[in-house]
Amino acid sequence: MLTIAISKGRILKDALPLLAEAGIEPSEDLGKTRKLIVSSKKGDVNLVIIRATDVPTFVEYGAADVGISGKDVLVEHNSDSLYEMLDLQLAKCRLMTAVIKGCELPAGKIRVATKYVSLARQYFAKKGRQVEIIKLYGSMELAPIVGLADCIVDLVDTGSTLEANNMEPQDLIMQISSRLVVNKASMKMKHEEIKELVKQLQVAVDKRC
Ligand code: AMP
């Protein structure tokens, strides 16, 4: 039995067809059920549906053998206790800085609103800019509009969320996609099952590229 941790939303929507190609189909409609653990049709896999930021934690502690997580979340989580096995090439986007349209960042210390506290701190440290990081859990785009921050660090896909809030992307910090991560102990104890899953997912990913 394998347990796979995955988050609702963009990653789940993109990952389900890929998992299906690897022979893993949930036994119920994940869009409708309120269950947090859902078995697969073949019965050899359970899916646990959790918050995106919790996926690396579940995998690290062995509550899930395998997880599907955005590179943004993995880098921010910063753990060497799990293996990153595969770039699934899903939920692709960019981690960027963004400002109100036409606005230059002021000289000196700037305020940055983000949920990616470590990533943002590292990025601005490399650029030699002094920053005060303001941790937010959502609606980052609001921060510069209401004067809470000079800029934000957030994921950008089509750019329409920034556009709708009169903001524009500035610097690219990192290209993001979803990765398959594996618990280190599971890798030893369930080697054959995990090897087979990785192989099948690799085939499914290659078919799309
Ligand atoms: P967009 O308007 O298409 O640029 O999407 C930006 C919004 O969607 C922001 O609120 C992002 O945090 C979120 N977003 C974009 N891509 C992803 C992704 N791959 N995973 C999670 N959230 C994302």
Side-chain angles (χ1 to χ4, degrees):
M1 177 64 82
L2 273 186
T3 301
I4 303 180
I6 188 163
S7 56
K8 268 206 168 149
R10 229 171 267 237
I11 291 182
L12 183 65
K13 188 175 139 277
D14 285 5
L16 280 178
L18 203 73
L19 288 170
E21 283 182 55
I24 299 165
E25 287 182 86
S27 55
E28 34 193 311
D29 184 344
L30 294 179
K32 290 191 183 139
T33 183
R34 297 180 76 93
K35 280 189 191 169
L36 300 175
I37 302 181
V38 177
S39 59
S40 63
K41 283 185 183 163
K42 279 204 290 176
D44 51 352
V45 170
N46 278 337
L47 297 170
V48 290
I49 315 298
I50 53 181
R51 282 181 71 110
T53 44
D54 290 335
V55 170
T57 308
F58 270 61
V59 177
E60 189 177 343
Y61 285 91
D65 302 299
V66 173
I68 296 179
S69 181
K71 185 69 180 173
D72 51 323
V73 172
L74 290 174
V75 176
E76 187 69 21
H77 184 77
N78 189 27
S79 164
D80 52 13
S81 306
L82 32 85
Y83 295 123
E84 188 182 314
M85 298 292 292
L86 203 57
D87 184 348
L88 297 169
Q89 307 275 347
L90 302 176
K92 286 186 177 178
C93 58
R94 292 153 289 152
L95 184 72
M96 301 197 73
T97 64
V99 292
I100 291 180
K101 272 188 189 169
C103 279
E104 291 289 318
L105 284 178
K109 193 170 183 174
I110 52 166
R111 287 209 294 203
V112 181
T114 188
K115 62 178 169 185
Y116 301 102
V117 173
S118 320
L119 272 162
R121 190 162 280 132
Q122 280 166 35
Y123 173 73
F124 285 106
K126 252 193 240 155
K127 291 197 74 165
R129 281 223 72 155
Q130 263 203 309
V131 290
E132 180 184 348
I133 306 279
I134 299 173
K135 167 114 188 184
L136 294 179
Y137 293 87
S139 306
M140 251 70 75
E141 299 79 12
L142 199 53
I145 298 169
V146 298
L148 181 60
D150 301 298
C151 77
I152 66 170
V153 167
D154 197 12
L155 300 179
V156 180
D157 181 12
T158 61
S160 55
T161 306
L162 290 178
E163 182 67 36
N165 290 289
N166 193 36
M167 294 188 68
E168 59 188 4
Q170 238 181 10
D171 299 338
L172 173 69
I173 300 178
M174 189 184 284
Q175 296 281 357
I176 305 293
S177 58
S178 300
R179 310 298 164 103
L180 187 80
V181 288
V182 177
N183 171 268
K184 285 190 170 174
S186 303
M187 193 64 193
K188 286 198 190 109
M189 311 281 285
K190 303 183 181 181
H191 188 72
E192 282 312 310
E193 294 109 297
I194 291 173
K195 207 173 85 181
E196 188 56 28
L197 174 68
V198 172
K199 197 175 100 188
Q200 291 185 1
L201 285 172
Q202 180 75 71
V203 170
V205 171
D206 289 346
K207 254 200 253 168
R208 291 164 176 224
C209 294

